[in-house]
Amino acid sequence: MDFPENLPSPDIGRLEQIVSHFFPKALHIVLDSRIPSLQSRGRTRDRSSGGLNVKKSDKWFNLIMGDRPAALDKLHSWHRNILDSMIIDIILIHPTDDDDDHGNVRSAETVIERWVVQYENPLIMSPQTSDPSTRYQKVYKKAIILLRSLYAQTRLLPAYRVSRQLSSSLASSRYEMVYKVSSFSDVFSPPVTETMKEFRFSPVEVPPGRLCASVTYRSDLSDFNLGAHITLPPRIITDYVGSPATDPMRFFPSPGQSFEATSFHFQGRAGRPPLTTSSASERPHSWTSGFHRPPTPNQSFSPDFHWSRTDGGDSHHQLSPPFSPSGSPSTPRGSYSPRINVRPGTAPVTIPSSATFNRYVSSNFSEPSRNPLPPFSPKSTRRSPSSQDSLPGIALYKSSRSGESPSGLINHYPGHKLTKDSKYDSGRFSGLLSSSGSPRFGFSRSPSRLSSDLEDPDCSCPFDFDDVDESVLQYSQSLDRRKTSSSISQSLPIGRKSQDAAVGVLVQMLKTAPPLRQDSSTYMASSMSGVQREGSSVSGAESEFSMARSTSDALEELRNYKQLKDLLLSKSKSVGGATRVH
Amino acid sequence: MNCEACHLKELEVESFEIREVLRCILHTIVFHRALGLIRPKDIDLELFDITYVQCGEIEVEKKIDDKIEQFITWIDKHPNKKSQICLSFYEVKTKQPSWFTNKIERLYWEQWFINLNVLQPTKSPTGKSQHSKLVMDPGEESEERSSRRTLLEQSLQEVLFQIIKFVNEKKDHVPPINDGVIYCPFEITFPSSSDSTFGMDMIKRMLHSGGHPSMLS
């Protein structure tokens, strides 16, 4: 044991010293853990050096507390008689609900802890059984254990947490923890004692008496509303409402994208507001993956009037691709991805810009798997029993999803290689075709039929040049706006004659196609007569076409036809020029 | 000298809480048995609103941490629900070489039994019937977990109170403090895979100690 060097030789003197040093040590332990201003300095320093630089007074009871504040020494100076009890009250100063006349908040003091250390000197001396030479060692050992447990207890009681909170810089100034050391104590009032618990440390026999310690404490300090008055340190909230981390389905308008409103500006669904630019969906959709176009602000969106939605809340420009600036085409989006699975290759697409158009075309041919164009099954796209042909112009945009080689498409393209269209499914039209507002052309025709139709320049089609011109004019105007005409013309060298024939064929197909619904047939007829307002007509159809799956398929097809038509018209612009209006 | 034993209240812990709980309990016990000159160190638990005290000795810290890691490894291999960790304080006594050919004997004078009920993770539901339940599970699970966490915090505080109480009540059996010895030597053991092996460990220990631990001296 490490007794101080100036310890007197007699055991009694040692025992007395144990007792006399016990009080200030206990006081130090309690106040150090409760009153920040009395916390010891240098407690944690010299940890590696052990007790080399420790003051002798601090070595008592083998518990290094650090330098004892001067205030504590002064406090203990009055405790001259070891028989006097030492009562340490830990008082919490807290605001009350009452305010005085001046509006100041009153404060109240509540004793939340009372530590009592005393040396009980019994009137009758108990017989000493142990060897006197080792008595003080055992006593000292027990006193050490007692102070260890007292130290641990100070950390366990609720007042410790409170003092830590109040000592932080964030604490409100209206709360304070103070102490009072006395020899006599006011007896706790009955209501207070009910809320307080007591813990008595086992006394240590220190002949002729015994050292006793106890603590009475409030086990519940929630009445003081300390938590409400102590501000927490700033936290970074990562899951705030609206963060990308929370709701993946949430729509986040991208600041970068602006969609032009064009003549293709479909009114969307019935009752839907017109397409606006700012609120385009920037979220990448799973069905954008097939196009591999970088998102450009000039891209319009196709009126996916065939895109039946469950939510019904989004205007279709949200669905339309985006080719969001984020450029993550493969990000799956809840309600969208199933649609892709349902109608793979549905064209979310818009009239491409020149660069993107070329890219699309090339990508279409080079990597057929990426093209999400719907492989229109013959039966779904069959408008008339005999019409499943695809047009040569259409062939360019056909996806090779059905397994046909892209080279075949290319080969078919130059000139009038309509006869080779037989292997193409008419349904595979690019999204380009659907971007036009005029569903004038139905492209679901069998190749054989197409070829025959195309070879017949005299096919009667109500779709005369003028009508075409009007629609084409609008289309071309929009195209010009989108700067796609030149590129389209370059990449679609369809002969003028074949274009006319193709147009006529398309018109005929549309005319002869059985109506899916009563309204849809009406729609078709009106569209044949010349679509002046693509948006409105399509919007009318859109609401109906979206009703059923078969209807939506037809709508898809219609879109594709339109796109094809537009392409053809644009091509004709570039090829001929005499009869086309540019 | 008696070998006092203290059986602490059982705690239900999840595997990630084992480390903190064991550190808290073991250090608190050792702090009360490190009767040499020490500089105490207050440690705040991360998972709970509890502060415990370490004796500040690096060797003690290392020894406890190593044992805890071994225990966690053992728990992973033997996912038994209930396990017990024994913290034993002993005295090292040299003895005349006997037919055991062992000069050093350990005299155990105190044993602490820490009872843990390690809960298995709840992410084990299988089958379609529980699929719908899984959807609701995150919210319910977090509530359940927070209430279990609060309960564990209270229980841990009770265990610490239990330690302080035991330490206070029984002081006579503590051996005298030797000069230069900071803390009473101790060892931490936990049962191996089977109870019989654990029993063998106890028998071995008794043989090495040269007598029954509870033998009065």
Side-chain angles (χ1 to χ4, degrees):
Chain A
M1 275 187 297
D2 188 9
F3 277 110
E5 292 172 1
N6 57 352
L7 190 67
S9 49
D11 292 349
I12 295 177
R14 289 179 180 176
L15 292 174
E16 190 176 338
Q17 282 204 14
I18 290 171
V19 175
S20 63
H21 281 89
F22 187 86
F23 285 90
K25 199 75 176 182
L27 182 67
H28 193 180
I29 290 172
V30 171
L31 294 186
D32 180 78
S33 64
R34 298 290 185 264
I35 311 299
S37 59
L38 293 178
Q39 278 179 354
S40 309
R41 300 281 182 268
R43 170 123 159 257
T44 55
R45 69 165 183 239
D46 298 332
R47 189 171 283 275
S48 58
S49 61
L52 294 178
N53 299 327
V54 181
K55 285 185 182 176
K56 290 175 188 172
S57 58
D58 205 14
K59 290 184 182 179
W60 270 98
F61 305 101
N62 288 339
L63 197 65
I64 299 171
M65 292 292 299
D67 297 337
R68 191 181 300 174
L72 283 179
D73 288 332
K74 288 178 187 174
L75 275 170
H76 187 247
S77 61
W78 60 264
H79 194 259
R80 300 181 188 283
N81 188 355
I82 60 173
L83 295 178
D84 290 338
S85 308
M86 183 173 73
I87 298 167
I88 310 165
D89 285 338
I90 305 297
I91 301 162
L92 179 67
I93 300 174
H94 58 96
T96 58
D97 297 333
D98 304 328
D99 292 346
D100 60 10
D101 296 335
H102 301 281
N104 298 325
V105 178
R106 287 175 190 256
S107 295
E109 295 180 353
T110 305
V111 178
I112 59 173
E113 263 184 8
R114 172 165 288 174
W115 299 80
V116 178
V117 180
Q118 61 185 33
Y119 179 62
E120 293 177 352
N121 200 354
L123 297 175
I124 301 172
M125 294 282 289
S126 58
Q128 304 299 321
T129 55
S130 59
D131 184 8
S133 61
T134 59
R135 193 184 304 164
Y136 78 89
Q137 289 174 343
K138 288 184 179 177
V139 167
Y140 190 57
K141 173 193 75 181
K142 294 180 183 179
I144 289 173
I145 296 173
L146 173 59
L147 281 175
R148 294 277 197 273
S149 59
L150 190 141
Y151 187 99
Q153 188 76 315
T154 57
R155 269 69 183 165
L156 278 184
L157 296 182
Y160 179 71
R161 286 280 157 199
V162 171
S163 81
R164 288 273 295 272
Q165 288 172 356
L166 294 182
S167 65
S168 67
S169 58
L170 303 170
S172 165
S173 59
R174 295 167 61 183
Y175 286 85
E176 200 178 350
M177 195 173 277
V178 296
Y179 64 95
K180 185 177 82 171
V181 183
S182 61
S183 296
F184 302 98
S185 63
D186 301 328
V187 177
F188 285 127
S189 57
V192 178
T193 50
E194 287 171 3
T195 62
M196 300 189 86
K197 292 183 181 176
E198 189 181 12
F199 180 83
R200 286 187 174 269
F201 295 89
S202 296
V204 174
E205 300 287 339
V206 185
R210 62 180 190 175
L211 272 172
C212 302
S214 66
V215 58
T216 310
Y217 62 97
R218 285 180 78 110
S219 56
D220 184 15
L221 296 178
S222 58
D223 296 341
F224 301 105
N225 295 325
L226 282 159
H229 294 272
I230 293 174
T231 56
L232 295 172
R235 273 182 60 206
I236 297 173
I237 301 172
T238 55
D239 57 349
Y240 56 88
V241 174
S243 74
T246 50
D247 186 4
M249 288 308 299
R250 197 180 165 87
F251 167 67
F252 295 108
S254 165
Q257 225 172 3
S258 62
F259 284 62
E260 287 183 275
T262 66
S263 63
F264 295 87
H265 173 179
F266 290 63
Q267 293 302 317
R269 303 281 168 82
R272 210 172 282 277
L275 299 173
T276 55
T277 59
S278 60
S279 56
S281 167
E282 299 348 46
R283 298 179 128 221
H285 301 279
S286 57
W287 36 265
T288 61
S289 57
F291 290 84
H292 291 270
R293 293 191 215 185
T296 62
N298 286 333
Q299 284 183 349
S300 69
F301 23 75
S302 57
D304 51 346
F305 41 79
H306 63 279
W307 200 259
S308 59
R309 285 174 231 193
T310 54
D311 55 358
D314 299 330
S315 57
H316 78 258
H317 58 263
Q318 291 182 0
L319 287 183
S320 6
F323 300 122
S324 65
S326 60
S328 55
S330 59
T331 306
R333 289 288 173 249
S335 62
Y336 300 153
S337 33
R339 302 212 180 281
I340 286 299
N341 297 331
V342 167
R343 288 186 292 279
T346 317
V349 186
T350 65
I351 303 247
S353 61
S354 57
T356 57
F357 181 82
N358 283 330
R359 199 174 305 111
Y360 168 77
V361 169
S362 57
S363 66
N364 189 14
F365 291 146
S366 58
E367 295 173 71
S369 61
R370 304 192 307 186
N371 196 315
L373 287 181
F376 281 108
S377 61
K379 66 175 181 181
S380 65
T381 56
R382 203 173 293 272
R383 294 289 177 268
S384 64
S386 60
S387 311
Q388 286 299 325
D389 292 344
S390 61
L391 300 175
I394 300 168
L396 176 66
Y397 307 104
K398 285 183 182 176
S399 74
S400 48
R401 194 172 280 209
S402 65
E404 291 146 44
S405 65
S407 60
L409 287 170
I410 295 174
N411 290 336
H412 283 227
Y413 203 74
H416 317 285
K417 305 233 166 100
L418 299 174
T419 56
K420 293 189 183 176
D421 293 334
S422 57
K423 58 179 174 176
Y424 294 123
D425 191 345
S426 59
R428 276 182 244 105
F429 300 117
S430 73
L432 296 169
L433 304 177
S434 64
S435 60
S436 170
S438 170
R440 295 185 99 177
F441 306 101
F443 290 148
S444 53
R445 307 201 64 178
S446 62
S448 57
R449 177 59 183 261
L450 174 63
S451 59
S452 61
D453 286 340
L454 291 174
E455 288 166 1
D456 182 11
D458 298 329
C459 70
S460 61
C461 60
F463 183 63
D464 60 81
F465 287 148
D466 291 338
D467 292 339
V468 171
D469 290 347
E470 286 171 4
S471 59
V472 169
L473 176 62
Q474 294 181 12
Y475 176 88
S476 59
Q477 283 173 354
S478 63
L479 279 183
D480 288 340
R481 253 175 278 159
R482 295 178 182 282
K483 302 171 186 178
T484 58
S485 56
S486 58
S487 62
I488 292 173
S489 62
Q490 285 167 7
S491 51
L492 297 176
I494 302 178
R496 183 185 136 205
K497 187 178 178 182
S498 60
Q499 282 183 350
D500 292 340
V503 165
V505 165
L506 289 171
V507 169
Q508 194 135 40
M509 282 197 296
L510 283 172
K511 280 181 77 177
T512 56
L516 295 169
R517 289 173 180 256
Q518 199 61 32
D519 294 334
S520 63
S521 61
T522 310
Y523 165 71
M524 287 286 200
S526 65
S527 68
M528 292 308 154
S529 60
V531 177
Q532 297 299 325
R533 304 174 309 274
E534 293 124 351
S536 54
S537 56
V538 169
S539 66
E542 194 178 327
S543 55
E544 332 224 26
F545 288 151
S546 63
M547 292 298 193
R549 184 194 165 117
S550 59
T551 313
S552 53
D553 284 340
L555 285 171
E556 261 183 311
E557 192 179 342
L558 198 59
R559 258 176 68 183
N560 292 328
Y561 294 159
K562 248 180 72 46
Q563 283 182 350
L564 182 61
K565 174 210 116 185
D566 296 331
L567 277 166
L568 293 173
L569 291 172
S570 62
K571 278 303 130 188
S572 67
K573 239 182 346 179
S574 62
V575 171
T579 57
R580 288 280 178 260
V581 177
H582 297 279
Chain B
M1 189 177 297
N2 293 336
C3 176
E4 298 287 348
C6 177
H7 294 265
L8 296 175
K9 180 186 166 185
E10 186 179 90
L11 296 172
E12 279 192 356
V13 294
E14 288 191 43
S15 54
F16 68 95
E17 294 166 337
I18 293 176
R19 195 174 278 107
E20 282 227 314
V21 166
L22 279 183
R23 268 203 200 123
C24 176
I25 295 173
L26 291 170
H27 275 288
T28 301
I29 297 171
V30 172
F31 171 70
H32 288 92
R33 294 291 179 251
L35 304 182
L37 184 64
I38 60 165
R39 198 187 293 263
K41 195 160 78 169
D42 297 337
I43 304 292
D44 298 326
L45 288 180
E46 292 176 5
L47 299 176
F48 309 101
D49 197 19
I50 292 173
T51 302
Y52 70 95
V53 190
Q54 290 184 3
C55 68
E57 292 296 312
I58 298 174
E59 297 86 28
V60 170
E61 203 174 334
K62 189 177 182 308
K63 189 172 176 179
I64 288 177
D65 284 345
D66 289 344
K67 275 296 173 181
I68 290 174
E69 293 304 320
Q70 286 179 25
F71 177 74
I72 291 173
T73 309
W74 182 81
I75 279 283
D76 290 340
K77 289 179 186 172
H78 306 91
N80 298 326
K81 274 203 164 183
K82 299 195 178 186
S83 53
Q84 190 180 67
I85 297 155
C86 181
L87 171 60
S88 309
F89 292 97
Y90 59 87
E91 275 187 288
V92 178
K93 293 226 182 261
T94 54
K95 214 180 175 184
Q96 293 294 330
S98 64
W99 56 286
F100 286 113
T101 66
N102 198 352
K103 290 185 182 178
I104 296 174
E105 64 171 335
R106 289 181 174 183
L107 200 65
Y108 294 89
W109 51 271
E110 190 174 79
Q111 282 181 322
W112 297 80
F113 296 95
I114 303 161
N115 299 297
L116 293 182
N117 187 5
V118 183
L119 301 173
Q120 298 299 325
T122 55
K123 301 175 194 172
S124 58
T126 54
K128 295 178 184 177
S129 61
Q130 294 183 349
H131 179 70
S132 60
K133 189 182 174 187
L134 278 175
V135 176
M136 297 184 297
D137 259 354
E140 295 174 359
E141 204 175 309
S142 62
E143 279 183 23
E144 200 181 315
R145 179 167 274 187
S146 65
S147 67
R148 195 199 54 79
R149 179 78 59 84
T150 309
L151 212 63
L152 176 59
E153 186 175 312
Q154 289 172 4
S155 299
L156 185 57
Q157 278 206 325
E158 287 175 22
V159 165
L160 297 179
F161 271 111
Q162 196 180 356
I163 294 170
I164 292 175
K165 202 174 165 191
F166 182 87
V167 160
N168 263 271
E169 288 171 357
K170 312 233 165 127
K171 298 192 188 85
D172 294 327
H173 64 289
V174 180
I177 306 166
N178 297 325
D179 289 337
V181 177
I182 305 294
Y183 56 91
C184 300
F186 64 93
E187 68 175 12
I188 301 170
T189 54
F190 44 89
S192 47
S193 55
S194 64
D195 288 340
S196 60
T197 316
F198 179 61
M200 281 304 295
D201 288 341
M202 285 297 296
I203 292 170
K204 279 183 193 171
R205 198 181 301 150
M206 286 165 55
L207 288 173
H208 284 314
S209 67
H212 198 274
S214 59
M215 185 173 65
L216 295 174
S217 62

